[in-house]
Amino acid sequence: TVIGAALSDMENDIAQSLNDKFIGRTLRVLSDGLNKNGIPCGRSTQNKIVTYDKFIPEGQFIDVVIETAGAYALNGKVKD
């Protein structure tokens, strides 16, 4: 429906706006290993999905500098 699509668009805009605030920040992330597409990922202490640039074994904590944000996930580089 038109109302459902408009609501979904509004929800995505709000989520994007909230996630944009993480760009440039360093987040503590618990590695989940690789996602179903083979991309390294994990969850931050804020329970955000985070993808990053190199494989880290599942169960390890890492610091990730967030470079980009989407409505449902953040992306960054593992801090050395």
Side-chain angles (χ1 to χ4, degrees), residues 15-35:
Q16 179 72 55
S17 177
L18 291 171
N19 283 345
D20 282 345
K21 294 175 183 175
F22 288 99
I23 295 173
R25 291 181 53 193
T26 300
L27 300 182
R28 190 80 169 150
V29 174
L30 176 62
S31 176
D32 288 335
L34 301 174
N35 67 16

Side-chain angles (χ1 to χ4, degrees), residues 6-63:
L7 252 164
S8 181
D9 287 345
M10 185 184 303
E11 190 174 64
N12 288 340
D13 290 345
I14 291 168
Q16 179 72 55
S17 177
L18 291 171
N19 283 345
D20 282 345
K21 294 175 183 175
F22 288 99
I23 295 173
R25 291 181 53 193
T26 300
L27 300 182
R28 190 80 169 150
V29 174
L30 176 62
S31 176
D32 288 335
L34 301 174
N35 67 16
K36 64 182 178 183
N37 297 319
I39 298 170
C41 69
R43 288 218 177 236
S44 72
T45 54
Q46 294 84 1
N47 203 31
K48 298 284 185 182
I49 297 170
V50 180
T51 60
Y52 36 88
D53 60 327
K54 59 180 157 181
F55 175 75
I56 304 294
E58 186 175 341
Q60 290 189 24
F61 280 99
I62 53 173
D63 291 320

